[in-house]
């Protein structure tokens, strides 16, 4: 390894002084600054929408007059790391309503919600789906990888073409030594634009006054950069292997580009396309049917209750049977009606929860089927360096399916348990579910109520609000998922180093 | 002069190269695959569309027992899938394909198809994408060294030492390469058309004019790619440099510009959030309510009798409120269209993007198709409303008042049945050939202009080239 350092330094200096390196650096920087700047502006819009959602949440909490109205919307804050790896950040929604009525699901799967998602209720313009998302990882996957091929593909074939390889072998230089030095020289050269990409992007994100980065932001960015470096290293090795097997630099570049096209465009797209065309999306109609069955079963249980406990219409002035679940009265009612409603709630609330559990299980089954396709695509993409980098990026940014979907829903489910316990502890499923008038102050006849009770009727805005100061607070704990894909990338690199060295050792000089 | 010889030489030189054979074979296989996949895909989408239509017809027929039910019935209107989606799929799966409407309003566009929110965005297999990625790559890889390769081998000096006009060299090289590249494309397209011809589900004769139109644009697109390669090749002396420049041009024009247009447009066109629209509606509604103070006594006996003054005020208020709601929601959708149009306009800086949206216009698929559908839905909604209003005039038991309160308003509407057959039906009409041509004309001219500029550039650069 006597000449290793000399060859490495020579290769690095050669590359760094070349026009193509300046071009690579300029293009990468230009695209990064442009894309990150606009992504940051987009983030500002998302943050603004988030702030509006928080205001709405506060308003919703302040408006609750009885516990039947009580619900806490969980709003997931936009994640600045999504600028680096977008993943599912904007695809699944960011709000889950936690209440006795709703399922702890994003609105798309909250089958207890009356109105379903439409385009209008989604903040994102759906027509922009026709364009590709450009985040930092994608810039590396598409642009830096092609530029890597562009820089590294002629590295050996060029020397062969110029006959400098022959000249070099007149000295006692080991072939493995030469290959490794070439590889490292190119990798160090290419790591410069990569570092520029990450430093400029991280600075542009972290310096914005409206973005508060978490303490581990830079650590995550650093790990992402390491992932990208390993990815670039794979492409450098592939380009060098092609360069080893070809005699002219333009030929190695052409083959290098073909391999790039195959890995970055053809294989991932063909795979996604083939899987999507061959595995049908499970129909929602079965889930809708299940929902209707469960609703019908609940309606029957309700009818049965009313048959066993008929409501005397002559004695019920303010209340009637209607309403999908439980009709609330909020203001005042006769003691008789209150007792009847409380009995109904006591009898039917467990039925409702049971129905919700069954519905949640049905939703889980549907979702599991729905995700089968993407899981299969992911499994079949496992050897692809771009897939490994994507996984690394989204895991570190917490925008992958686990963090953005499964984990949030699990946390929401646990939080719902706390909210229901809180409602119970406040007698929220007792009289406070319907009204703030304590049962001892209720009268048998509406006329026996003093006037002040009527002034606080349902439609009056001045009806006292619930004191919810001690309500459970939801804090979203972002998971830290170490990207094991980094090890796959390291393995892939080692494999290619061995293969490249072996091929180069056996290759012709001329 | 010598053009024929140069053309033949160019074809002979490239036709046996592994690069050409590999890519040309790939192109033909992809065209065949596309024919088979798009056929089954079209049948599947058509079945989904027809089943929704059937279900909707059944639901609407049931409502016809009572006029007021029809007024409040939420009609599902769905876009018929495009038979030309093989030209470009245009990410139609990711876009809404229908709306719901009743007498009072049109809903926001909705998805009446299974939607996989977990699926990643991908490049689908269609004619536009085959040309966009593979053919453009093939063109550049064949043309990058057409001149610079000859410069370095000194064969150009030899050619020009004979009395071969430089224009003939350029024209000959261009024509030779163009003819060569057209071979796999034509084979692929013919196989595709034959497979379609054999399928009973597709009326290929209706599709033919659109294929011909696409073919025109495709010729320009191939020429454009070749001319880009030739221009770069005539400007450089080393094949390596010309290949690198071709690569960068391809990267910028085919990947970066078309992929980032939306980022700009998001900054240029602001879309009001759903919340702010709701707040605005609520505020306007309050203002209206102040102007139209009314009181209603909720007694069952007044239902269905001549509307009281209070009720008339409420109806007026509700109608005005509906107008405001419709206006604001409609404006939001228009803004979404505007934002997308801006993104497309930005992307069209690149001729690659022009070609992509040209394909979309011809196939009436994706965003272009959806926008067309939405405009037809708006027209249909006016017709539907007018029809119901006219029909209502004929009912004696109606007080001829329409307002959007389903729990109350039917009491003042007719309860008589309505003939289902007489109801206007929505049928999506794709733009005919002349309309499509009118829309696509600009794109064709733009591509033509690019070709002319590139040809002129190549010619000037080559003429100025000092052969010594």
């Amino acid at each position: 390894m006597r000449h290793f350092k000399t060859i490495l330094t020579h290769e690095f200096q050669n590359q760094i002084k070349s026009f193509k390196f300046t071009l690579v650096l300029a293009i990468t920087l230009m695209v990064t600054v442009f894309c990150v700047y606009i992504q940051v502006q987009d983030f500002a819009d998302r943050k603004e929408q988030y702030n509006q959602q928080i205001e709405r949440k506060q308003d919703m909490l302040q408006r609750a007059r009885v516990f039947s109205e009580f619900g806490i919307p969980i709003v997931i804050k936009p994640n600045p790391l999504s600028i680096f790896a977008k993943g599912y950040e904007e695809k699944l929604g960011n709000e889950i309503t936690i209440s006795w009525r709703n399922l702890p699901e994003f609105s798309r799967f909250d089958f207890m919600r009356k109105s379903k998602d439409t385009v209008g209720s989604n903040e994102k313009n759906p027509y922009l789906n026709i364009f590709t998302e450009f985040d930092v990882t994608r810039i590396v996957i598409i642009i830096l990888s092609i530029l890597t091929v562009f820089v590294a593909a002629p590295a050996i074939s060029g020397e062969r073409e110029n006959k400098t390889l022959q000249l070099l072998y007149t000295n006692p230089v080991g072939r493995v030594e030469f290959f490794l030095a070439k590889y490292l020289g190119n990798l160090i050269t290419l790591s410069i634009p990569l570092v520029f990409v990450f430093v400029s992007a991280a600075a542009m994100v972290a310096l914005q006054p409206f973005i508060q980065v978490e303490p581990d932001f830079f650590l995550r960015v650093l790990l992402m950069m390491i992932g990208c470096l390993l990815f670039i290293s794979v492409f450098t090795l592939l380009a060098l292997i092609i360069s080893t097997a070809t005699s002219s630099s333009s030929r190695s570049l052409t083959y290098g580009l073909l391999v790039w096209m195959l890995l970055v465009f053809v294989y991932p797209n063909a795979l996604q396309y083939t899987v999507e065309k061959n595995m049908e999306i499970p129909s929602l109609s079965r889930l809708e049917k299940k929902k209707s069955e469960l609703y019908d079963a609940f309606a029957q249980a309700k009818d049965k209750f009313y048959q066993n406990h008929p409501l005397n219409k002559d004695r019920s002035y303010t209340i009637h049977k209607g309403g999908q679940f439980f009709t609330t009265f909020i203001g005042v009612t006769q003691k008789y009606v209150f007792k009847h409603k409380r009995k109904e709630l006591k009898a039917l609330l467990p039925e409702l929860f049971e129905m919700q559990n069954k519905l949640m299980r049905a939703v889980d089954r549907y979702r599991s089927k729905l995700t089968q396709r993407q899981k299969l695509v992911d499994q079949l993409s496992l050897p692809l360096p771009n897939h490994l980098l994507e996984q690394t990026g989204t895991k570190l940014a917490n925008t992958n399916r686990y963090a953005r979907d499964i984990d949030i829903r699990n946390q929401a489910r646990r939080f719902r348990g706390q909210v229901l316990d809180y409602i119970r502890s406040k007698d929220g499923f007792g009289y406070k579910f319907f009204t703030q008038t304590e049962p001892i102050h209720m009268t048998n006849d509406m006329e026996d109520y003093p006037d002040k009770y009527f002034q606080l009727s349902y439609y009056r805005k001045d009806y006292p609000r619930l004191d919810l100061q001690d309500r459970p607070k939801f804090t979203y704990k972002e998971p830290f998922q170490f990207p094991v894909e980094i090890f796959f990338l390291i393995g892939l690199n080692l494999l290619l180093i061995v293969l490249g060295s072996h091929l180069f050792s056996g290759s012709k000089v001329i | 002069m010598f053009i024929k010889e140069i053309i033949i030489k160019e074809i002979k030189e490239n036709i046996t190269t592994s690069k050409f054979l590999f890519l040309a074979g790939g192109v033909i296989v992809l065209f065949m695959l596309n024919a088979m996949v798009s056929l089954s895909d079209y049948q599947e989408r058509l079945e989904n569309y027809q089943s929704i239509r059937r279900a909707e017809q059944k639901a609407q027929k049931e409502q016809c027992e009572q006029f007021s039910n029809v007024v409040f019935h939420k009609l599902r209107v769905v876009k018929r899938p495009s038979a030309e989606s093989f030209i470009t799929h245009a990410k139609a799966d990711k876009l809404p394909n229908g709306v719901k409407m009743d007498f009072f309003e049109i809903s926001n566009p909705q998805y009446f198809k299974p939607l996989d929110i977990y699926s990643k965005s991908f490049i689908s297999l269609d004619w536009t994408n085959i040309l966009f990625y593979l053919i453009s790559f093939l063109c550049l890889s064949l043309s990058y060294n057409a001149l610079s390769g000859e410069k370095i081998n000194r064969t150009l000096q030899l050619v020009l030492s004979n009395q071969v006009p430089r224009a003939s060299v350029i024209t000959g090289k261009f024509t030779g390469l163009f003819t060569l590249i057209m071979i796999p494309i034509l084979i692929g397209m013919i196989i595709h058309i034959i497979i379609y011809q054999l399928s009973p589900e597709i009326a290929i004769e209706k599709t033919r004019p659109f294929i011909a139109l696409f073919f025109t644009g495709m010729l320009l697109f191939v020429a454009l790619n070749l001319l880009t390669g030739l221009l770069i090749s005539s400007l450089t002396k080393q094949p390596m440099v010309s290949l690198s420049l071709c690569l960068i041009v391809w990267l910028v024009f085919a990947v970066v510009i078309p992929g980032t247009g939306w980022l700009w447009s998001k900054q240029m066109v602001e879309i009001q959030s759903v919340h702010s629209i709701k707040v605005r509606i609520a505020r306007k509604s309050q203002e209206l309510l102040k102007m139209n103070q009314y009181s209603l006594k909720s007694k069952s006996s007044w239902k269905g009798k001549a509307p009281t003054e209070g009720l008339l005020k409420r109806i007026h208020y509700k109608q005005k409120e509906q107008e405001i709601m419709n206006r604001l929601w409609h404006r939001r959708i228009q803004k979404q269209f505007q934002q997308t149009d801006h993104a497309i306009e930005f992307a069209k800086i690149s001729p690659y993007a022009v070609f992509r949206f040209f394909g979309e216009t011809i196939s009436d698929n994706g965003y272009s198709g959806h926008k067309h559908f939405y405009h037809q839905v708006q027209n249909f909604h006016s017709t539907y409303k007018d029809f119901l209003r006219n029909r209502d005039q004929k009912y004696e038991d109606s007080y001829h008042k329409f307002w959007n309160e389903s729990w109350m308003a039917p009491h003042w509407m007719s309860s008589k049945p309505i003939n289902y057959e007489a109801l206007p039906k929505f049928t999506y009409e794709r733009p005919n050939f002349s309309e499509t041509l009118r829309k696509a004309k600009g794109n064709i001219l733009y591509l033509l202009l690019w070709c002319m500029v590139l040809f002129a550039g190549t010619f000037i650069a080559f003429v100025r080239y000092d052969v010594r």
Side-chain angles (χ1 to χ4, degrees):
Chain A
M1 290 284 183
R2 281 178 302 159
H3 300 284
F4 182 80
K5 204 179 155 191
T6 322
I7 303 169
L8 193 149
T9 319
H10 172 80
E11 182 67 18
F12 177 66
Q13 282 177 351
N14 254 3
Q15 292 283 26
I16 215 155
K17 282 180 201 160
S18 66
F19 169 70
K20 65 183 171 188
F21 174 77
T22 319
L23 207 64
V24 167
L25 195 65
I27 290 178
T28 331
L29 264 181
M30 208 173 68
V31 175
T32 309
V33 170
F34 171 72
C35 289
V36 174
Y37 169 75
I38 310 239
Q39 288 273 13
V40 165
Q41 298 303 314
D42 185 42
F43 185 86
D45 291 346
R46 282 195 280 144
K47 189 77 193 290
E48 179 58 35
Q49 278 165 19
Y50 167 77
N51 291 339
Q52 284 182 3
Q53 278 175 302
I54 293 292
E55 260 176 48
R56 219 156 52 200
K57 176 180 161 181
Q58 291 305 328
D59 187 46
M60 195 174 157
L61 278 167
Q62 280 164 11
R63 267 188 288 131
R65 296 163 293 189
V66 287
F67 274 95
S68 58
E69 289 183 337
F70 175 55
I72 307 178
I74 293 176
V75 187
I76 308 296
K77 209 173 163 179
N79 180 354
L81 281 163
S82 65
I83 294 171
F84 289 82
K86 199 118 198 195
Y88 288 107
E89 173 79 355
E90 283 189 273
K91 278 188 176 174
L92 307 173
N94 73 336
E95 196 174 318
I96 297 177
T97 308
I98 302 295
S99 74
W100 62 273
R101 177 194 282 272
N102 294 85
L103 296 185
E105 292 278 351
F106 290 113
S107 56
R108 191 182 296 274
F109 286 121
D110 181 3
F111 277 75
M112 299 297 290
R113 202 178 272 265
K114 272 185 187 171
S115 61
K116 300 297 294 171
D117 246 4
T118 62
V119 173
S121 63
N122 192 341
E123 297 294 349
K124 200 183 166 193
N125 179 358
Y127 306 118
L128 293 182
N129 284 346
I130 58 170
F131 294 96
T132 322
E133 291 278 6
F134 255 87
D135 49 38
V136 176
T137 323
R138 205 157 181 86
I139 293 172
V140 174
I141 290 176
I142 296 180
I143 294 166
L144 209 55
S145 64
I146 198 172
L147 296 175
T148 302
V149 173
F150 171 54
V151 168
I156 295 172
S157 55
E159 301 242 15
R160 191 175 282 133
E161 205 172 30
N162 302 335
K163 313 277 180 198
T164 44
L165 203 59
Q166 268 176 301
L167 195 70
L168 200 81
Y169 281 141
T170 55
N171 297 308
V173 181
R175 290 203 172 198
V176 175
E177 185 186 353
F178 179 78
F179 182 81
L180 289 179
K182 276 269 173 194
Y183 157 65
L184 268 183
N186 278 293
L187 188 62
I188 295 170
T189 314
L190 287 159
S191 63
I192 296 171
L194 182 72
V195 171
F196 267 100
V197 166
F198 272 86
V199 170
S200 56
M204 281 170 83
V205 172
L207 294 175
Q208 300 301 325
F210 53 87
I211 300 180
Q212 285 90 41
V213 293
E214 300 289 324
D216 61 354
F217 173 82
F218 291 104
L219 174 72
R220 286 175 190 262
V221 172
L222 183 72
L223 282 172
M224 259 187 230
M225 198 175 77
I226 293 171
C228 288
L229 189 67
L230 289 166
F231 170 78
I232 291 300
S233 163
V234 169
F235 271 88
T236 311
L237 284 162
L238 283 172
L240 286 176
I241 290 172
I242 291 166
S243 195
T244 304
T246 46
S247 55
S248 78
S249 47
S250 52
R251 191 168 288 176
S252 55
L253 190 53
T254 313
Y255 288 127
L257 291 179
L258 276 177
V259 170
W260 172 83
M261 195 127 194
L262 200 72
L263 290 178
V264 175
F265 277 102
V266 182
Y267 183 72
N269 283 300
L271 182 66
Q272 188 86 31
Y273 188 75
T274 315
V275 170
E276 292 204 2
K277 291 295 157 204
N278 289 298
M279 279 176 82
E280 272 184 27
I281 303 174
S283 167
L284 257 179
S285 58
R286 195 178 282 180
L287 189 55
E288 300 268 10
K289 201 177 154 196
K290 181 76 187 170
K291 177 197 159 181
S292 321
E293 279 171 20
L294 291 169
Y295 268 56
D296 288 348
F298 184 79
Q300 276 172 16
K302 196 171 175 180
D303 284 344
K304 202 173 161 190
F305 173 83
Y306 273 88
Q307 273 168 19
N308 295 337
H309 306 86
L311 188 66
N312 187 344
K313 282 186 181 168
D314 297 336
R315 294 180 66 194
S316 57
Y317 174 71
T318 56
I319 202 82
H320 55 88
K321 193 189 149 192
Q324 201 168 24
F325 298 111
F326 307 105
T327 315
T328 53
F329 46 83
I330 298 176
V332 288
T333 189
Q334 301 105 309
K335 207 167 197 165
Y336 160 74
V337 175
F338 164 70
K339 278 182 180 170
H340 189 276
K341 292 306 294 177
R342 195 161 67 173
K343 209 181 279 176
E344 182 194 345
L345 184 70
K346 209 172 171 185
L348 294 178
L349 197 64
E351 297 267 353
L352 179 78
F353 287 153
E354 182 57 29
M355 170 190 145
Q356 287 176 341
N357 287 337
K358 283 181 182 165
L359 200 51
M360 264 196 278
R361 282 199 290 275
V363 169
D364 282 345
R365 276 197 298 275
Y366 174 79
R367 191 168 25 225
S368 159
K369 276 188 197 164
L370 190 62
T371 50
Q372 284 300 319
R373 304 192 326 162
Q374 200 51 47
K375 274 184 193 163
L376 182 65
V377 173
D378 288 346
Q379 280 164 5
L380 293 172
S381 310
L382 201 62
L384 276 186
N386 25 330
H387 172 75
L388 293 172
L389 180 61
E390 243 176 47
Q391 295 291 318
T392 307
T394 50
K395 267 188 183 177
L396 287 165
N398 272 334
T399 51
N400 64 343
R401 199 173 85 77
Y402 172 76
R404 206 56 194 70
D405 189 28
I406 301 168
D407 187 53
I408 291 178
R409 279 189 288 109
N410 286 343
Q411 289 191 35
R413 280 182 192 190
R414 283 196 292 273
F415 183 63
R416 187 176 190 247
Q418 289 177 32
V419 170
L420 293 182
D421 286 345
Y422 172 75
I423 299 176
R424 279 187 200 103
S425 73
K426 292 278 172 181
D427 199 17
F429 291 121
Y431 77 94
K432 285 183 186 168
F433 189 80
F434 306 101
T435 181
Q436 287 194 34
T437 310
E438 285 178 47
I440 46 162
H441 297 129
M442 288 184 190
T443 63
N444 286 322
D445 203 310
M446 292 296 280
E447 288 176 8
D448 294 340
Y449 279 105
D451 283 347
K452 66 171 186 176
Y453 280 87
F454 288 97
Q455 283 161 7
L456 304 174
S457 66
Y458 183 90
Y459 293 105
R460 298 286 168 95
K461 285 183 178 169
D462 49 3
Y463 193 85
R465 266 50 177 167
L466 287 173
D467 178 18
L468 299 166
Q469 290 298 320
D470 56 345
R471 67 175 192 274
K473 307 265 189 319
F474 181 81
T475 33
Y476 172 54
K477 293 177 201 76
E478 282 199 27
F480 184 86
Q481 311 167 72
F482 184 80
V484 282
E485 286 77 10
I486 281 190
F487 294 118
F488 284 101
L489 278 169
I490 293 173
L492 200 57
N493 272 293
L494 290 174
L495 192 77
L496 288 171
I497 288 174
V498 173
L499 183 73
S501 310
H502 176 72
L503 285 175
F504 187 65
S505 301
S507 70
K508 289 175 187 167
V509 177
I510 305 162
Chain B
M1 278 215 304
F2 296 106
I3 288 185
K4 202 176 151 193
E5 286 75 13
I6 298 171
I7 293 173
I8 293 167
K9 179 188 153 276
E10 205 60 36
I11 294 175
K12 273 185 181 171
E13 251 177 26
N14 286 301
I15 202 158
T16 48
T17 57
S18 53
K19 183 168 62 184
F20 176 77
L21 290 173
F22 178 74
L23 284 171
V27 167
I28 295 169
V29 170
L30 287 180
F31 267 106
M32 278 166 67
L33 274 176
N34 177 30
M36 289 183 282
V37 172
S38 54
L39 250 182
S40 74
D41 192 41
Y42 175 65
Q43 282 160 1
E44 203 178 287
R45 283 185 292 123
L46 201 62
E47 266 169 37
N48 178 46
Y49 163 76
Q50 278 162 350
S51 75
I52 294 171
R53 288 251 316 182
R54 277 194 299 272
E56 191 45 56
Q57 280 169 2
K58 196 180 159 205
Q60 206 181 12
K61 263 182 198 168
E62 281 168 12
Q63 302 302 324
C64 282
E65 285 176 7
Q66 205 169 315
F67 175 77
S68 58
N69 288 352
V70 176
V71 172
F72 285 96
H73 174 61
K74 292 275 179 203
L75 190 66
R76 284 185 295 173
V77 178
V78 187
K79 180 181 180 284
R80 192 187 162 89
S82 161
E84 289 82 28
S85 62
F86 62 88
I87 292 178
T88 179
H89 198 256
K91 297 202 177 178
D93 281 349
K94 305 273 176 204
L95 297 176
N97 64 333
V99 292
K100 274 186 184 175
M101 65 157 80
D102 58 19
F103 175 86
F104 307 98
E105 61 192 6
I106 306 173
S107 77
N108 290 310
Q110 297 192 0
Y111 294 85
F112 293 108
K113 56 188 167 187
L115 188 67
D116 183 358
I117 47 164
Y118 296 103
S119 125
K120 283 180 190 159
S121 172
F122 64 94
I123 299 162
S124 58
L125 184 60
D126 50 51
W127 283 13
T128 311
N129 279 335
I130 296 173
L131 286 152
F132 194 90
Y133 291 101
L134 225 61
I135 298 293
S136 66
F137 192 75
L138 180 66
C139 288
L140 292 176
S141 69
L142 288 179
S143 58
Y144 80 92
N145 64 350
L147 295 167
S148 57
E150 298 229 26
K151 281 178 200 172
I152 204 158
N153 299 337
R154 304 267 170 193
T155 45
L156 196 62
Q157 264 180 314
L158 199 70
V159 172
L160 294 178
S161 62
N162 294 313
Q163 284 176 335
V164 183
R166 292 196 178 203
S168 301
V169 176
I170 288 288
T171 318
K173 282 205 173 274
F174 170 73
T175 319
L177 289 174
F178 188 81
T179 316
L180 189 70
I181 287 163
M182 286 312 293
I183 297 169
I185 300 177
L186 281 174
I187 295 173
M189 279 186 166
I190 290 167
I191 293 173
H192 188 114
I193 292 167
I194 292 170
I195 293 174
Y196 260 57
Q197 192 91 45
L198 296 174
S199 163
E201 282 85 7
I202 305 276
I204 192 81
E205 50 287 346
K206 283 186 188 167
T207 311
R208 262 185 218 138
F210 299 105
I211 293 179
L213 186 57
F214 180 76
F215 193 77
T216 318
M218 186 215 51
L219 293 178
L220 290 170
F221 183 69
V222 172
L224 181 128
N225 277 288
L226 279 176
L227 287 167
T228 308
L230 285 174
L231 174 66
I232 292 169
S233 192
S234 61
L235 287 169
T236 50
K237 285 179 183 166
Q238 298 270 345
M240 179 63 198
V241 177
S242 46
L243 182 55
S244 309
L245 283 174
C246 281
L247 172 71
I248 286 161
V249 167
W250 186 83
L251 194 68
V252 171
F253 284 97
V255 181
V256 179
I257 298 176
T260 49
W262 68 275
L263 292 165
W264 271 130
S265 74
K266 267 190 132 179
Q267 301 309 310
M268 286 162 71
V269 182
E270 199 189 334
I271 297 176
Q272 277 194 323
S273 71
V274 173
H275 176 62
S276 59
I277 290 184
K278 281 181 181 168
V279 168
R280 223 169 138 198
I281 290 171
R283 202 180 58 233
K284 291 258 180 191
S285 177
Q286 282 300 315
E287 283 168 16
L288 271 174
L289 201 57
K290 273 183 196 163
M291 287 191 294
N292 297 279
Q293 285 289 350
Y294 63 86
S295 66
L296 287 177
K297 284 179 183 171
S298 178
K299 283 180 185 170
S300 54
S301 55
W302 60 284
K303 284 179 180 171
K305 298 204 172 146
T308 59
E309 200 182 327
L311 181 63
L312 286 172
K313 276 188 176 176
R314 182 181 178 86
I315 293 170
H316 180 71
Y317 154 66
K318 280 284 168 191
Q319 285 172 340
K320 289 279 169 200
E321 189 191 43
Q322 186 70 51
E323 271 174 32
I324 291 166
M325 276 161 66
N326 287 352
R327 199 172 56 235
L328 290 177
W329 286 117
H330 175 70
R331 197 181 293 165
R332 187 167 193 270
I333 292 174
Q334 290 305 321
K335 282 272 177 194
Q336 289 181 335
F337 283 150
Q338 203 184 336
Q339 197 180 58
T340 317
D341 289 338
H342 269 82
I344 292 173
E345 289 307 319
F346 177 84
K348 277 185 174 174
I349 293 172
S350 154
Y352 286 76
V354 173
F355 178 66
R356 166 162 289 175
F357 292 109
F358 165 75
E360 203 176 291
T361 311
I362 290 174
S363 67
D364 188 41
N365 212 7
Y367 171 69
S368 164
H370 177 80
K371 205 174 157 189
H372 186 73
F373 162 76
Y374 191 75
H375 289 145
Q376 281 194 16
V377 166
Q378 281 177 310
N379 293 338
F380 173 72
H381 188 240
S382 319
T383 317
Y384 188 67
K385 264 174 88 168
D386 290 345
F387 171 83
L388 289 178
R389 227 181 237 127
N390 289 338
R391 186 49 60 106
D392 177 64
Q393 290 299 324
K394 291 176 188 161
Y395 291 121
E396 285 166 2
D397 61 337
S398 168
Y399 286 93
H400 314 302
K401 298 287 172 203
F402 291 89
W403 79 104
N404 198 1
E405 280 183 312
S406 58
W407 53 275
M408 193 171 160
H411 294 291
W412 283 270
M413 288 178 187
S414 174
S415 54
K416 286 185 178 157
I418 181 167
N419 180 12
Y420 169 74
E421 301 304 328
L423 280 173
K425 312 281 183 309
F426 179 82
T427 14
Y428 175 68
E429 295 288 338
R430 70 149 292 157
N432 58 24
F433 181 72
S434 54
E435 205 179 330
T436 310
L437 181 64
R438 189 179 51 77
K439 279 186 183 174
K441 201 168 61 188
N443 294 330
I444 293 179
L445 287 174
Y446 191 65
L447 286 174
L448 188 67
L449 189 71
W450 265 97
C451 286
M452 281 159 63
V453 170
L454 286 170
F455 190 81
T458 312
F459 185 72
I460 293 166
F462 190 59
V463 167
R464 283 166 61 96
Y465 170 67
D466 184 0
V467 84
R468 287 167 295 171

